[in-house]
Amino acid sequence: MLFQSQGFTLLFLPLVLAMYYVAVGNAAARQWVLIAASLLFYGWWDARFLPLLVGQIGATWMLAGLHERTGRRGWLVAGVVLNLASLGTFKYLDFFLASIEAALGQPLPRAHFVLPIGISFFSFQLISYLVDRMRNDAPIYPLRPFALFVLLFPHLIAGPIVRHNELVPQFALDPLREGLWKRAGAGLVLFTIGFAKKVLLADPLAGIVDPLFAQAQTAPLTFGGAWTAALGFSLQLFLDFSAYTEMAIGIALLFGLVLPENFRRPYLATNLREFWRRWHISLSLFLRDYLYIPLGGSKKGRARFVFATMGTMTVCGLWHGAGWTFVVWGLWHGVGLAACRMWQSAGLRLPALAGWAVTMAFVLVGWVIFRAPDFATAGSILASMGGAAGFSEPLQGLGLLAAGAAVSALLPSAHEIKDRWLTPQPAWAVAAAALAVYCVLDVGKGAPTSFIYFQFWSRTCTMLPGAGS
Amino acid sequence: MHDAAWRRFVTLFVTTFLGGVVGLGAFVVLMDPYDVVPFSLPIERRLVSISQRHMYPQVARSGRFDSVIVGTSTSRLLDPEVFNAALGVRLANLAMDSATAWEQLQILSVFGASVAKPKMVIVGLDRVWCEPAADRERITFRGFPEWMYDANRWNDLLYLFNLSTVEIAGRLLGYHLGLYPERVRYDGFEVFVPHEEQYDLERARHNIWQGPSRSVSAQEPPVRLSEQEERALRFPAVTWLQDAVSAMPDTHWIFAWMPVHVAAQPQPGSHAAAVENACKARVASIAERHSATLLDWRVPSSLTSEDANYWDPLHYRLPIAYRLVDEIVAAARGRAERRAAGGSR
């Protein structure tokens, strides 16, 4: 079930909210309502994967319990291995087989597993809990709140990535506590903003971008076409993913829960390190705490820093998709982050505008590699952007690109809107509700398109370096 | 105080949202521009949209017609009123732009299910009927509202709450208020080509040839398919046509290969032409078995070679359309006379 579908907006969400607030006086009952709703929400896509999801949660909880009783760290290690094995099997097995096949030149069989949606998110959240247990930084929770921490449908499929200690304590809070109406108002507005960004900007941008990337697989794009593809995708990706986050944060607020910030206008960053402090923040923080710092971080010398950065960003790339283009995208950013830190450590500075231009150019090149189905296509688009196919044709969809850029640059982050910008003006309520009605009508014309981030998780890599063209 | 303001904010949002959703939903359902809702207002529903795939099922179900034309845009200029006057039928022209054979058969199926004994079915045949992938590529990029073509009208309610239906419902209201005209005649006929006075031969030639005019010569020697090759050819749509004809045995079927310009036909003597001829032969065999009338204008001829007869490679001019109607009427009358003579013998 998609957030932006009529079924979700007009039926599922109102019904779950009604049941939740009927049960609001009983913490256990309202948590069961959310668990049941989340299982239905997940099962709507593919009920076959419910046992996997429930199994990973149950096994992780039991292993943590065994560790609590026996004090043996091995139970936690077993839990991490179990979650990694599940993720590796469903998401990466065919990618590794294809890579080995390319290296050996021998055909190998494939598993052809269907990728369970959201597996990267829930596996990472479970692993983070187990690692925190190893660090003596996580208590044993009762099964119900523990399961709900992973299952909670607003963040289950595409984040933000939430840590147990951010969410579980909130389940005990009374949803009717002080600020109920402000949370509800902000939730409704954030949901509407995300809805509008998705259907009025991100999806129409996809209509321009997708054919260009498809065309680039067979023939070079024009100069204008290549820049349209690169700029359009950069905007589409941000608008789509941040829209999902805003809807997720908005929905959670309606239940009295606060999810963490995920984007803070990343395309205003004036250097690459700042970009990663603004882009997919919950993932950046997760990788920093559970990978970058354990690998050595920046405190153990330059070589260790480069190693930690490159290792972290390689995993970051692989997390986004099982393909070599994603790995190279991660490495590209790893190199950029290492260079950026060294530049800054040397005391060098660029004027803000120049820094912004360099950063955006770097990010733009990265997104072309990220989006392209193979290196040949990415290379072709980048070459056309550089004028290899001449300098013909203007940008396509200029109005849409401009609108997307303006919203990306000007619209504050979800938490900024919630905490600072939104005031209870009646005109805002009417305008937001009218926009929501328009969006509900807009998605009714046919089957809604999936959020773009879902696609990266379902893409399996068949293109390998050298075999991609 | 602050909480009261937020409470008012939420109340206003929810009221506006629910008011908008319920109000617009009720408006669409009551106006029911596609005539699919079992409990809509009992008002006259004219065709106020040019989305043929959405508007024609209500025409097919209306009970006002006993005969039908299906096809693509190459059949849309055939005026039903001429047939009605000449043959005593009540004909609807439900040909749809770029319709695949499968889509054409869907509207025919709705018509067949609604009319007890269809008098006449004219199938305007085009390249789509010979598509080997007709069974895999059943619809076009336009999409196809299959939900509107099944027998269950209640499931249609799920598909009506969208911007375009609200807009079309508004147009229907505008029609009843005298603010908006009927877009397409209720029998489906619409002159979609520009007015004859705007015809420009040079422009038409450019459209037809996409460059300088050329002559179309036959390939020599012509390709002849072996029996084995012919047997291996797949024409799924022709098989469907056979099924459709069998399902309406008492209907007068007219198969007409529509006259596209030679520039849009396979080069004579080529492999593509040989394949198309094999397809035509299978259609001819159906026509023979079921005493259908068969006309073939999809051949190089003075009609299809003359640039001045066309707007573009696919679309002939309006006077040509009336010529074709006359020929179909004559063929239909000839069949009727032959049958009458046969009967008297």
Side-chain angles (χ1 to χ4, degrees):
Chain A
M1 199 181 305
L2 296 161
F3 285 171
Q4 81 278 21
S5 65
Q6 287 185 349
F8 181 88
T9 315
L10 300 178
L11 209 63
F12 181 85
L13 185 57
L15 280 178
V16 176
L17 276 169
M19 287 193 283
Y20 184 76
Y21 280 97
V22 163
V24 74
N26 183 325
R30 66 173 187 258
Q31 287 172 31
W32 280 121
V33 167
L34 284 179
I35 288 173
S38 300
L39 290 172
L40 179 64
F41 177 82
Y42 191 84
W44 200 267
W45 261 292
D46 199 332
R48 288 176 302 169
F49 295 122
L50 277 174
L52 179 76
L53 172 65
V54 172
Q56 273 187 245
I57 293 169
T60 302
W61 182 77
M62 280 195 294
L63 290 167
L66 285 169
H67 169 252
E68 176 76 4
R69 280 199 291 281
T70 64
R72 290 173 64 179
R73 193 181 161 89
W75 293 119
L76 299 177
V77 174
V80 172
V81 169
L82 182 84
N83 282 291
L84 283 176
S86 170
L87 184 60
T89 304
F90 283 100
K91 186 164 179 175
Y92 298 107
L93 182 58
D94 277 358
F95 167 62
F96 286 125
L97 287 170
S99 302
I100 295 167
E101 182 179 285
L104 300 178
Q106 293 289 324
L108 293 172
R110 298 285 195 282
H112 296 299
F113 287 132
V114 177
L115 186 65
I117 194 160
I119 191 170
S120 305
F121 281 97
F122 64 74
S123 296
F124 265 36
Q125 293 199 172
L126 290 167
I127 290 168
S128 80
Y129 171 73
L130 292 165
V131 173
D132 282 357
R133 286 284 301 169
M134 290 178 195
R135 294 170 176 173
N136 294 320
D137 199 18
I140 291 290
Y141 298 110
L143 179 58
R144 190 182 60 243
F146 180 77
L148 185 54
F149 138 68
V150 181
L151 286 172
L152 187 70
F153 71 88
H155 76 72
L156 173 60
I157 303 301
I161 297 172
V162 187
R163 295 184 209 187
H164 57 93
N165 51 8
E166 287 177 299
L167 199 52
V168 176
Q170 293 191 55
F171 295 147
L173 297 177
D174 181 1
L176 302 179
R177 67 189 180 277
E178 177 75 23
L180 163 70
W181 295 104
K182 184 179 181 189
R183 284 192 300 278
L188 291 169
V189 169
L190 285 175
F191 183 83
T192 305
I193 289 173
F195 203 167
K197 278 169 66 175
K198 167 70 178 162
V199 302
L200 303 181
L201 292 171
D203 286 349
L205 276 168
I208 297 176
V209 167
D210 290 349
L212 287 169
F213 273 90
Q215 186 189 332
Q217 287 180 260
T218 52
L221 297 179
T222 61
F223 181 70
W227 276 96
T228 303
L231 289 169
F233 177 69
S234 303
L235 293 170
Q236 180 206 351
L237 182 63
F238 168 68
L239 291 165
D240 195 283
F241 194 16
S242 64
Y244 188 93
T245 299
E246 281 147 7
M247 294 172 95
I249 293 174
I251 295 165
L253 280 171
L254 296 176
F255 293 98
L257 304 168
V258 181
L259 298 182
E261 189 77 287
N262 221 13
F263 294 93
R264 268 194 295 265
R265 288 189 267 187
Y267 291 151
L268 295 184
T270 55
N271 66 64
L272 197 61
R273 293 178 68 201
E274 187 192 353
F275 174 81
W276 278 102
R277 287 195 292 269
R278 290 166 172 264
W279 178 273
H280 205 171
I281 298 164
S282 63
L283 176 66
S284 301
L285 293 177
F286 181 94
L287 291 173
R288 183 197 67 186
D289 293 346
Y290 295 100
L291 204 59
Y292 174 70
I293 292 174
L295 284 175
S298 60
K299 309 289 186 203
K300 296 184 179 174
R302 180 172 287 187
R304 192 70 182 268
F305 158 70
V306 171
F307 168 73
T309 303
M310 299 305 289
T312 302
M313 294 313 290
T314 303
V315 171
C316 178
L318 261 180
W319 183 84
H320 280 86
W324 284 105
T325 50
F326 293 109
V327 173
V328 168
W329 170 79
L331 287 169
W332 171 256
H333 274 271
V335 169
L337 284 168
C340 181
R341 188 177 186 93
M342 288 176 194
W343 171 277
Q344 290 174 335
S345 301
L348 300 168
R349 291 286 180 275
L350 276 177
L353 193 60
W356 174 81
V358 170
T359 306
M360 289 306 109
F362 188 91
V363 169
L364 205 66
V365 171
W367 288 145
V368 171
I369 299 167
F370 185 93
R371 171 63 178 80
D374 52 67
F375 293 113
T377 307
S380 168
I381 294 173
L382 292 171
S384 295
M385 289 169 71
F391 293 92
S392 61
E393 289 194 16
L395 289 174
Q396 300 171 25
L398 199 55
L400 193 56
L401 289 175
V407 169
S408 302
L410 299 175
L411 191 70
S413 72
H415 279 245
E416 285 170 347
I417 291 171
K418 171 173 76 75
D419 297 330
R420 275 202 278 155
W421 291 94
L422 189 64
T423 55
Q425 298 295 323
W428 283 117
V430 174
L435 184 61
V437 172
Y438 184 88
C439 291
V440 166
L441 282 167
D442 190 71
V443 297
K445 62 189 163 194
T449 52
S450 293
F451 274 94
I452 193 168
Y453 247 61
F454 298 173
Q455 297 167 21
F456 297 117
W457 295 311
S458 61
R459 269 171 64 179
T460 53
C461 177
T462 51
M463 296 302 176
L464 298 163
S469 53
Chain B
M1 182 61 198
H2 195 60
D3 208 40
W6 278 110
R7 186 178 187 147
R8 198 166 53 244
F9 182 93
V10 172
T11 308
L12 204 52
F13 182 103
V14 172
T15 311
T16 309
F17 181 75
L18 286 180
V21 167
V22 173
L24 289 170
F27 174 64
V28 164
V29 164
L30 292 175
M31 292 308 294
D32 186 19
Y34 308 134
D35 204 3
V36 290
V37 181
F39 49 85
S40 56
L41 290 174
I43 55 173
E44 186 185 13
R45 290 187 168 77
R46 292 301 185 110
L47 306 188
V48 287
S49 163
I50 56 170
S51 173
Q52 298 132 19
R53 287 162 175 76
H54 286 81
M55 301 310 285
Y56 284 172
Q58 61 183 298
V59 178
R61 287 194 182 101
S62 68
R64 297 192 207 177
F65 304 97
D66 59 19
S67 303
V68 70
I69 299 174
V70 296
T72 66
S73 57
T74 61
S75 300
R76 289 192 60 214
L77 290 179
L78 306 180
D79 187 347
E81 286 185 349
V82 183
F83 290 97
N84 296 348
L87 300 174
V89 294
R90 288 178 286 122
L91 183 79
N93 186 336
L94 304 185
M96 304 183 285
D97 292 339
S98 302
T100 63
W102 184 83
E103 289 174 327
Q104 294 175 42
L105 286 168
Q106 298 314 297
I107 192 68
L108 182 59
S109 159
V110 171
F111 180 79
S114 312
V115 179
K117 199 175 166 188
K119 274 190 178 174
M120 187 168 81
V121 174
I122 301 174
V123 184
L125 295 162
D126 283 295
R127 178 188 52 79
V128 293
W129 287 90
C130 300
E131 272 299 331
D135 50 353
R136 292 193 298 274
E137 293 156 15
R138 294 183 167 204
I139 64 172
T140 70
F141 69 91
R142 290 169 168 83
F144 187 79
E146 268 185 78
W147 48 273
M148 211 182 254
Y149 288 72
D150 60 21
N152 181 359
R153 292 176 75 181
W154 289 95
N155 66 353
D156 298 357
L157 291 169
L158 296 172
Y159 298 88
L160 295 178
F161 193 59
N162 56 60
L163 284 175
S164 67
T165 310
V166 170
E167 185 196 338
I168 296 167
R171 288 189 205 171
L172 187 58
L173 177 65
Y175 170 79
H176 283 284
L177 296 175
L179 303 171
Y180 196 84
E182 181 181 52
R183 290 297 303 272
V184 178
R185 221 165 67 192
Y186 196 78
D187 62 8
F189 179 69
E190 183 199 10
V191 179
F192 65 92
V193 293
H195 198 278
E196 276 295 307
E197 287 169 6
Q198 295 172 32
Y199 187 77
D200 176 348
L201 181 57
E202 281 315 304
R203 202 164 156 197
R205 281 198 168 122
H206 179 78
N207 289 338
I208 291 166
W209 298 104
Q210 298 294 310
S213 302
R214 327 181 274 279
S215 62
V216 174
S217 54
Q219 181 179 310
E220 290 296 342
V223 172
R224 292 188 198 288
L225 300 177
S226 66
E227 263 184 48
Q228 194 180 4
E229 284 172 320
E230 277 210 29
R231 270 201 306 276
L233 292 172
R234 284 184 84 244
F235 303 117
V238 176
T239 311
W240 299 335
L241 185 64
Q242 165 69 65
D243 296 341
V245 174
S246 301
M248 295 185 212
D250 299 327
T251 300
H252 177 191
W253 286 81
I254 298 177
F255 302 147
W257 288 98
M258 299 310 290
V260 297
H261 192 281
V262 284
Q265 294 180 28
Q267 184 193 9
S270 66
H271 182 267
V275 171
E276 186 166 292
N277 287 337
C279 176
K280 283 181 174 180
R282 291 194 196 178
V283 172
S285 154
I286 297 172
E288 196 176 335
R289 276 202 302 280
H290 296 272
S291 304
T293 303
L294 179 64
L295 297 152
D296 187 0
W297 293 298
R298 192 180 160 86
V299 289
S301 67
S302 57
L303 167 66
T304 57
S305 303
E306 177 58 66
D307 295 345
N309 289 338
Y310 288 85
W311 288 93
D312 62 39
L314 300 181
H315 301 115
Y316 44 80
R317 295 171 64 185
L318 198 55
I320 300 296
Y322 283 98
R323 217 172 100 188
L324 301 180
V325 171
D326 289 343
E327 289 189 33
I328 296 172
V329 166
R333 277 186 176 146
R335 175 188 183 268
E337 283 162 12
R338 279 195 304 280
R339 286 205 145 193
S344 67
R345 277 199 296 272

